[in-house]
Amino acid sequence: MQVLSVCIVILFSLLSTVCAFSADANDWAPTAADELRAIRNNAESPARKQPVTVLPALAQDRVGLVRKVQIDTSDRPIALTFDLCELATVTTGCDMQTIAFLHDNRIPATFFAGGKWMRTHAKRMKQMLSVPFFEFGNHAWTHGNCALLSSRGLRAQVLWTQAQYELLREEAIEQGGRPDIPPVPTLFRLPYGRCTKQALTEIAALGLTVVQWDIVAERGAVRTEDAARRYAASLVKECAPGSILLFHANRVPTGTALLVREVVSKLRAENWRFVTVSELLTLGRPVLVEDGYFTRPGDNIALDKKFGRDGTGSRVRFEGE
Ligand SMILES: [Zn+2]
């Protein structure tokens, strides 16, 4: 009888170990909470507004925005970047099909996350922070348009995001995450690609390098595998060593996961090497410009009128209060 009970206990503990393992493994699967607008909007400011880690200002010759990196060797590095945008007025989603694909295939990627998005998707954010080949950049608190924000508003959009990242990083480490998660992001991506010279100077003074893209990967909805294949084939022809590709992982454009699979498969077949933006910056000379357009100079100016007073979606100007 005693032997039987011991056997049952061992069997149960084995089963629970197997179940716990599969639960962890399945954690990357999409859930209802990852859908667009699944989580109620919270427009409050973050619990911490000033980051503990303050970055030193960038040198004067690094003021500007990086469009791509000039590579002078035969190396073929390329950076896949994913914006996680969220305005003050709505919540966006978390594209776990795309993120799980990158994770499962060990593909280095850089995510530019809005501070409010990080809080909306706190559990996912902590999970992603645990992945050493995922890098996080700052994408402003509520997607503020840096060409329209006041100096004070711009500062708060950047610093609130740094502080929110710190809070989640601390929680992730407390909950058993890797201890070497970077203290704060060092890269910034301009919402809408919009800025002024003054904004670039102010962001550089906060110690962040502005990184945009030279290739806009999503240019419309991708609904079928066949469409993704055709589309990826033309996209891959545009890639150059040091290119930075813009995607989104907040479920706003349709079909990103299909497209990413195809782009990755084609680039891998041609021996391109995926790296994070930080690594890419160490491999060559950053090409610095002063305008964050999408594909042609000026193609994003019309966006100034579409998303509230200052890009945050709100009719009230964001001043960081
Ligand atoms: Zn964005």
Side-chain angles (χ1 to χ4, degrees):
M1 191 63 190
Q2 212 177 354
V3 174
L4 184 66
S5 333
V6 169
C7 286
I8 289 172
V9 168
I10 290 172
L11 185 66
F12 269 96
S13 69
L14 271 174
L15 270 177
S16 61
T17 309
V18 169
C19 291
F21 177 76
S22 14
D24 283 343
N26 286 334
D27 267 350
W28 295 90
T31 67
D34 300 316
E35 295 291 319
L36 204 60
R37 298 190 185 89
I39 298 170
R40 195 176 59 82
N41 192 39
N42 171 8
E44 298 289 307
S45 52
R48 181 185 295 171
K49 292 183 175 177
Q50 288 291 333
V52 175
T53 299
V54 176
L55 299 169
L58 300 187
Q60 202 56 38
D61 63 358
R62 287 183 57 202
V63 178
L65 61 91
V66 178
R67 200 144 177 96
K68 61 179 181 174
V69 174
Q70 183 68 43
I71 307 289
D72 296 324
T73 64
S74 57
D75 195 11
R76 304 179 93 190
I78 197 160
L80 303 183
T81 71
F82 297 83
D83 288 3
L84 298 163
C85 326
E86 192 169 283
L87 277 62
T89 44
V90 288
T91 62
T92 57
C94 182
D95 181 354
M96 289 310 293
Q97 280 185 324
T98 297
I99 295 165
F101 170 78
L102 297 168
H103 169 262
D104 295 350
N105 289 281
R106 303 190 63 80
I107 296 163
T110 303
F111 297 90
F112 288 95
K116 179 168 160 283
W117 185 95
M118 294 180 192
R119 185 178 62 189
T120 303
H121 297 282
K123 195 167 157 240
R124 290 305 195 188
M125 181 71 194
K126 286 184 276 182
Q127 188 181 8
M128 290 161 78
L129 283 172
S130 74
V131 179
F133 50 89
F134 284 172
E135 171 178 45
F136 277 88
N138 181 324
H139 194 39
W141 175 250
T142 42
H143 217 252
N145 180 325
C146 297
L148 303 178
L149 288 162
S150 66
S151 252
R152 186 179 166 165
L154 170 59
R155 227 182 127 75
Q157 284 278 323
V158 176
L159 294 180
W160 287 14
T161 303
Q162 297 291 89
Q164 179 64 58
Y165 171 97
E166 274 184 344
L167 290 172
L168 291 168
R169 173 187 179 270
E170 287 163 15
E171 276 180 36
I173 293 172
E174 256 173 45
Q175 292 165 9
R178 64 188 175 107
D180 58 344
I181 300 170
V184 282
T186 58
L187 308 173
F188 181 82
R189 175 160 282 165
L190 298 162
Y192 313 104
R194 292 285 292 127
C195 67
T196 57
K197 269 193 187 179
Q198 176 66 21
L200 291 176
T201 305
E202 289 178 12
I203 298 165
L206 295 173
L208 288 116
T209 300
V210 179
V211 177
Q212 298 300 113
W213 53 75
D214 62 320
I215 297 178
V216 177
E218 299 141 326
R219 289 168 207 169
V222 176
R223 299 188 198 281
T224 64
E225 284 186 16
D226 190 43
R229 265 194 293 276
R230 275 185 281 119
Y231 191 26
S234 72
L235 197 59
V236 164
K237 284 186 197 143
E238 294 176 35
C239 293
S243 276
I244 300 170
L245 275 68
L246 165 67
F247 294 91
H248 289 75
N250 60 344
R251 299 185 60 87
V252 172
T254 310
T256 298
L258 280 175
L259 182 62
V260 168
R261 275 170 194 274
E262 286 301 325
V263 168
V264 163
S265 142
K266 286 186 163 41
L267 289 172
R268 272 194 164 163
E270 293 180 12
N271 292 324
W272 292 80
R273 188 163 73 86
F274 299 110
V275 294
T276 60
V277 169
S278 289
E279 188 184 348
L280 189 64
L281 291 170
T282 67
L283 299 174
R285 183 176 51 79
V287 177
L288 280 180
V289 295
E290 288 182 348
D291 185 10
Y293 58 88
F294 282 85
T295 52
R296 290 181 317 279
D299 65 3
N300 51 353
I301 292 173
L303 297 174
D304 286 9
K305 293 200 172 101
K306 285 194 176 168
F307 299 94
R309 301 267 326 242
D310 48 23
T312 64
S314 171
R315 275 180 278 177
V316 182
R317 181 177 284 281
F318 177 87
E319 291 292 354
E321 284 154 359

